[in-house]
Amino acid sequence: MGTLYEDIVAYGGEVFGEEHMETLRECVQCGKCTGGCPSGRNTALRTRKLFQMALLDLREEIFNAPELWFCSTCFTCYERCPKGVKTTDIIRIIRNLAAKEGHMSVPHRMIGVYVLKTGHAVPIGPDQMKLREAVGLESQPPTTQKYKEQLEQVQKIFRTTNYDAMIDFDWDTMNLRGMEKGGKK
Amino acid sequence: MTDGDLGLTYAYFLGCITPNRYPGIEAATKRIFKEFGIETKEMVGASCCPAPGVFGSFDMHTWLPVAARNLSIAEEMELEIYVTCNGCYGSLQEADHLLKEHPKLKERTNKVLNEFGREYKGTTKVNHSIVILHDVIGLDKLKERITKPMNDVNVAVHYGCHFLKPREVRGHGSSETPYILEDLVKVTGAKEVEYKDKLMCCGAGGGNRTADTVQSLEWTRQKLVNALMAGCDCMVHPCAFCHLQLDRGQAEMNKAFGTNFNFPILFATQFLGLALGLSEKECGLDIQTTTMPEKLLK
Amino acid sequence: MINIETPRIGVYICHCGVNIAATVDVKEVARFASDMPCVVIARDYQYMCSDPGQELIKRDIKEHGLNRVVVASCSPRMHEPTFRNACEDAGVNPYCFEMANLREQCAWVHSDKDKATEKAKDLVASAIGKAALLEPLERKKVGVVPRALVIGGGVAGIYAALEIADKGFETYLVEKEPSIGGHMAQLDKTFPTLDCSACILTPKMVEAERHKNIQLLTYSEVKEVSGYIGNYKVKIRKRPRYVDEQKCTGCGECANACRLRGRIPNEFDAGMAMRSAIYVPFPQAVPLIYTVDAERCLYITKGKCGKYPACKEACPADAIDFELLEEEIEVEVGTIVVATGYELLDLAEKPEYGYKYDEVLTGLEFERLSVASGPTSGKIIINGKEPKEVVFISCIGSRSRKEDECEYCSRVCCMYIAKQAHLVREKIPDAKVKVLYNDVRAYGKGFEEFYNRARKEGVEYIRKELEDPVEVVKRKGEDEKVVIKTIIEGEKIEIEADLVVMANAIVPRKDADELAKILKITKSADGFFLEAHPKLRPLDTFTDGIFIAGCCQSPKDIPDSVAQGVGAAIRASIPLMRGEVEIEPLVASINEDVCVGCGTCEAICPFDALSLEEGVMHVKEVVCKGCGSCGSACPSGAISMKHFKDEQIYAQIEVML
């Protein structure tokens, strides 16, 4: 583990390329990101401050900041940054690093449960099948939720990348470990 | 209504919200495409895209192979993809872009897919349904078939985020002065109305809705108030996930804030569908939270 | 003097495009002027300063026999000489011209056209009133001593001296230190090209020493300057080196023998290396002559150095001579270039920056640490080891609103930080380098590119507000480090470092005040010498014949200092080449019948232009600037100012009343 900046470059670099991540250092703290941030009007998210904290290596402070999760990834700041800092991608990578260190809320982990169970973050139920019939569609779409062998491929990916372990998924109950059925604590 | 003159076939990547919550979007889109001779093939075994701001925020190395797997299904079908959700668009197009840009990443991703005999090759293309409407079918052909012009309707256009941004990946020109959705609204005879913070996010993306739903609804509330203040009759957009936030969100908002919003929300093909003569039922507009006024249905 | 000529005045109202005409009814003002007494002709015109505008004046002078001209246009600063020349060309004495300022003092500052027009009429009437009483004056010509003096032997001064000397004029180059070279000789590589500072400077130092027209006066100071442009008398104090300059060969045996060898901090190395009491500041010093530090030498201070001064015994050339005395050299020069350079803000007086710790250096000290010829042979070593965490802090004392600091930007720090950060990364590849900054001002050729390069190389730039306080403390214990405490975004931040480099402000030299008084030149509020015009006369002072170059005027980098040195030299060469100068006749004049010789004016004159001769005050017209101080101070009313006589000014007022 290096500094947060080094981790961002190393980890994010695997996906976006290191140069993409290194733009974080170009930040001149002008605040254009924060000024146009739709989240910032309603939440404590201050993208400029977040990046300053990242550059100052305030890892724990960032990972424990609830506002880290209030970015809607709208890319407004990404488009507007005068120094070409790849803002949204950097925020996503910071979140990745936070999640790897166990900073992940139960509702966020539950999305993983739905995908592991059905292949969908928003699965279909009997009521919705009726709605499909009402507009003249097949009651169930031909997706992973319908075909078990296809779903297993997605599950396999989650096992390979250890996503199941990251959210503490229990394959026996097909739920988060220690959770009642339905995911409510 | 049949016309096979375009003779094109696409693989429809459904995603989650479209087929599982708003089948009206799926129905209206398929019907319009068929009308203009575009055949839709189902992608058997497709999963969640998976959501770019959500899974992309948790683990890029899980997000990417799941997306690549979906792309590989279309590659096997030897078809280009179309989507009806900005999340699916964002996810699949970004994944396709990254895998094409970074060979090492492609190698690493295929290692995961190879375990169950799949491979991402980079031979498909991800299209958004509204781009097919605008660029493949074209405004002229659309205009010819308008049977129920929306002449006195004031429309608030909402883009969502991942259709336009980042523009270096999306390639639809300036993200601050877009035109595609505006053109599609205007072709029906409706008036596209400029309103405050038109390009603002609906509030749902990036796990924000999951992190704090009520907080995310506050963004939506602001967006809808801005459209109402500008005298709009309805909102037209290109994203199933925004649809969820904007439409079902109104019921949630009314409960959370004690308001009584009922502002009509239409996916682009639902709005165009009405203008092209489809019924409210055929567009699935009778099975969602917000109700359609006479003005749109006459 | 009685004005026997009947005034025939021509009045010209300038539109200045729309600058005046949009706010002032120029035709109405011209009509009004034409009704004034003595006015023969009054016109308005688009641009009076244009060639056709000037031709208009010349033609009217000839056709209407004008002997006074009034132009109502802009500030006289720019175009008074233009119109004076036009008058002179047509045969009217240039001092029979008067100018009214309808632009800056009327049109630009008012919006009500009717009221502005009324005010314009007043201003024009006032100028006409004075014009009627103007008297012809003659410009005096004086000869020029074909020699120049350059004060300061840094890079700006060296280039100025070489430039004048190359033109064929004898030049004195006076340097306070034992060697020329200035701060540039102390630097390592230079931004943004990374060429070695000493390598490019020392050939020029040697060239200056060898130039047949340059006389080097090192270890010397200007003590007194009198006279005026073309004829300055300069007294120079040459401190004794206690070494015969003719005999010394620069062999260094004396320094090796000195009993204080290695015990005196060498100023040239920013105190980071030790020298003897007899020394040269650095091996490439010019001239390469040893100097005895009279404040340290045991023989001089205590009267005893062992049995016999060790240096004297060691010197093979028998050059050491403790009997040498201070010399006063008097020279006469036509013009003077001042290039006395700068000092750095003294951090010892600012305990919050932790300058007392070995780990805290100034930017200049870092140069000595990094330069190959420096005390560590270019190895960056702090406390005996390579620093792995290095932090640069910009704007220390610059861009500050604190009373004891500087409001201006020191201009070179952003770039030398980028350069030094680069050098650290080059010499210690695994070092983490951070820069605490507010803005990066990379304004020059190749600067932005260099700054981007430093960032790309991995230098971390961390932005803080200027107001965010910086405090450096030392953390004791096993892993001894200094800790920078600051507040960023309202959060208390601590940054650990093995080495902190402070970019402390460039400040005027402490002796700048004294020199300004000696030269009778002015300083701006920041304490640097003031140029005559910030844009159009950047190298001139308000004292004719004295020019400024380099950092004594304001902080600047090497290319700018060189450009100014050369530029000031060219300005200073003009009178030398012409051989004579014209003196403005707008000077004080004494009514000898009224003067009682009280001396009040002599005491008050800032230019030493007055002297009592046989009980009556006399004006040295070539020295007098016509400032009027004497005139207002004279208790007897014996002094009047040519061109600004009391009756002329009263006439200006009366017409308006």
Side-chain angles (χ1 to χ4, degrees), chain B residues 4-75:
Chain B
D5 55 357
L6 276 168
L8 292 167
T9 307
Y10 285 92
Y12 185 6
F13 180 78
L14 290 168
C16 304
I17 314 245
T18 304
N20 299 348
R21 289 293 179 278
Y22 287 100
I25 297 174
E26 182 182 336
T29 310
K30 282 177 172 171
R31 286 190 168 113
I32 293 176
F33 279 18
K34 195 173 171 207
E35 160 82 13
F36 289 97
I38 293 176
E39 201 186 330
T40 294
K41 285 257 163 76
E42 308 276 0
M43 285 173 67
V44 175
S47 67
C48 177
C49 58
V54 181
F55 280 88
S57 289
F58 301 143
D59 184 27
M60 282 280 174
H61 291 303
T62 303
W63 163 74
L64 196 53
V66 176
R69 180 185 165 277
N70 286 325
L71 290 167
S72 77
I73 296 173
E75 288 180 351

Side-chain angles (χ1 to χ4, degrees), chain B residues 216-228:
Chain B
S216 85
L217 288 168
E218 175 55 26
W219 309 27
T220 319
R221 190 190 67 78
Q222 289 167 13
K223 181 112 206 174
L224 295 176
V225 167
N226 290 341
L228 280 162

Side-chain angles (χ1 to χ4, degrees), chain B residues 7-144:
Chain B
L8 292 167
T9 307
Y10 285 92
Y12 185 6
F13 180 78
L14 290 168
C16 304
I17 314 245
T18 304
N20 299 348
R21 289 293 179 278
Y22 287 100
I25 297 174
E26 182 182 336
T29 310
K30 282 177 172 171
R31 286 190 168 113
I32 293 176
F33 279 18
K34 195 173 171 207
E35 160 82 13
F36 289 97
I38 293 176
E39 201 186 330
T40 294
K41 285 257 163 76
E42 308 276 0
M43 285 173 67
V44 175
S47 67
C48 177
C49 58
V54 181
F55 280 88
S57 289
F58 301 143
D59 184 27
M60 282 280 174
H61 291 303
T62 303
W63 163 74
L64 196 53
V66 176
R69 180 185 165 277
N70 286 325
L71 290 167
S72 77
I73 296 173
E75 288 180 351
E76 277 177 24
M77 296 163 78
E78 295 181 353
L79 289 175
E80 288 190 10
I81 293 169
Y82 79 77
V83 295
T84 44
C85 175
N86 284 358
C88 302
Y89 188 56
S91 200
L92 296 185
Q93 204 196 44
E94 186 180 10
D96 195 39
H97 169 81
L98 288 170
L99 291 167
K100 279 178 177 148
E101 288 280 306
H102 305 291
K104 263 192 172 165
L105 194 63
K106 183 178 162 184
E107 202 179 302
R108 175 176 176 161
T109 305
N110 272 332
K111 230 180 228 170
V112 182
L113 300 190
N114 290 344
E115 289 188 37
F116 42 82
R118 285 197 181 274
E119 189 192 354
Y120 164 85
K121 297 191 193 73
T123 53
T124 185
K125 188 184 167 209
V126 184
N127 303 282
H128 197 292
S129 50
I130 66 164
V131 178
I132 294 178
L133 286 166
H134 190 275
D135 294 350
V136 179
I137 295 170
L139 297 173
D140 292 343
K141 276 215 177 87
L142 284 171
K143 199 166 189 176
E144 280 171 23

Side-chain angles (χ1 to χ4, degrees), chain B residues 157-199:
Chain B
V157 157
H158 166 78
Y159 268 94
C161 303
H162 297 175
F163 174 72
L164 294 167
K165 298 170 278 187
R167 63 176 182 272
E168 64 201 27
V169 179
R170 307 290 172 235
H172 304 309
S174 164
S175 59
E176 306 271 354
T177 52
Y179 61 93
I180 293 178
L181 209 45
E182 285 82 347
D183 285 353
L184 292 175
V185 165
K186 282 187 250 177
V187 82
T188 67
K191 192 177 170 212
E192 191 265 314
V193 179
E194 203 53 45
Y195 66 102
K196 187 183 167 199
D197 293 331
K198 173 174 140 180
L199 294 168

